[in-house]
Amino acid sequence: MQQELTRLQVAAPGTASVDIDDADLPVGFVQTEGTDPTDVTVTAGATTTEEDNGFNVQAR
């Protein structure tokens, strides 16, 4: 599966919420790493990253 990175170009300083749209994931995928949604602290003039999130097909 191809990894997709989403970038937000400009955010106001403060707290921002990162929420993965689960409806866009393939059927059967479940979150295996990270938390969703996640709050991050945005600092003026800095690059802010969100934690790693992993999704995988659930075993049958």
Side-chain angles (χ1 to χ4, degrees):
M1 186 171 111
Q2 187 177 31
Q3 182 178 10
E4 182 177 324
L5 300 176
T6 302
R7 297 175 191 266
L8 179 63
Q9 296 298 318
V10 179
T15 301
S17 182
V18 178
D19 190 2
I20 297 169
D21 185 355
D22 299 348
D24 290 339
L25 296 174
V27 173
F29 270 54
V30 294
Q31 187 163 14
T32 56
E33 182 180 354
T35 54
D36 180 39
T38 302
D39 287 339
V40 295
T41 301
V42 178
T43 305
T47 299
T48 303
T49 58
E50 195 260 342
E51 69 183 15
D52 290 335
N53 284 287
F55 290 84
N56 208 335
V57 177
Q58 189 172 14
R60 294 178 190 226

